[in-house]
Amino acid sequence: MGLSCECACDYGNCGWWYEVHTIAKPLATKRTRKCVSCRRRISVGDPAYRIRRWRIATGDVEERIHGEGGEVYLADWYFCLECGVLYHALEKVNVCFDLGTDDLRDILREFNAEYAPKGLPGFALKLPPLAMGR
């Protein structure tokens, strides 16, 4: 998608919403998952950031189950430890990207290339230390 300060998928246009947990916790699923950004494998027990997703109920059957305008939960996605930290750092500087499509490492490279002060060789978006919840 490229760098943008205006997201194309805001709450009125996207069709689904998400919430990324702020603390990495060990993956507690029965099988491995892939990081939604870099597509690396996350093994059970490895630290990961959980992404809860949902959308508004559509159609008669979903509305009967969840109520009119009710929320339908979608399958959770996950960020590996590196991509979860990148997500939170990019979010703090209001960089938009397509979750599930864009690789956050590419977005970070593009951000640093675009906004790094010219002539300062060590510039990069400062990332917070890796935090892992217990």
Side-chain angles (χ1 to χ4, degrees):
M1 175 180 171
L3 292 179
S4 171
C5 290
E6 181 179 326
C7 293
C9 182
D10 60 14
Y11 280 96
N13 300 329
C14 188
W16 61 278
W17 302 273
Y18 64 91
E19 169 187 73
V20 179
H21 289 205
T22 56
I23 296 175
K25 295 185 179 178
L27 182 66
T29 59
K30 293 182 179 183
R31 291 182 279 176
T32 61
R33 299 288 187 247
K34 284 191 177 180
C35 175
V36 71
S37 173
C38 67
R39 307 293 188 246
R40 275 188 251 159
R41 195 177 110 194
I42 305 169
S43 297
V44 175
D46 286 353
Y49 288 86
R50 182 177 172 194
I51 305 167
R52 305 261 348 224
R53 304 181 315 133
W54 65 95
R55 65 174 170 77
I56 296 297
T58 59
D60 294 337
V61 174
E62 285 183 353
E63 286 181 1
R64 273 187 265 140
I65 295 170
H66 301 285
E68 187 174 334
E71 296 177 346
V72 177
Y73 287 94
L74 303 173
D76 289 341
W77 282 350
Y78 296 89
F79 280 132
C80 67
L81 196 57
E82 177 187 355
C83 293
V85 171
L86 287 176
Y87 168 82
H88 289 295
L90 291 168
E91 181 186 47
K92 283 183 182 178
V93 293
N94 295 324
V95 174
C96 292
F97 43 83
D98 289 332
L99 187 65
T101 304
D102 291 336
D103 187 333
L104 297 182
R105 297 171 301 172
D106 294 338
I107 298 295
L108 178 64
R109 278 192 283 280
E110 188 177 343
F111 178 86
N112 286 333
E114 180 74 26
Y115 295 107
K118 307 306 178 220
L120 293 177
F123 176 85
L125 178 65
K126 184 176 180 182
L127 298 177
L130 297 177
M132 181 171 161
R134 302 252 177 235

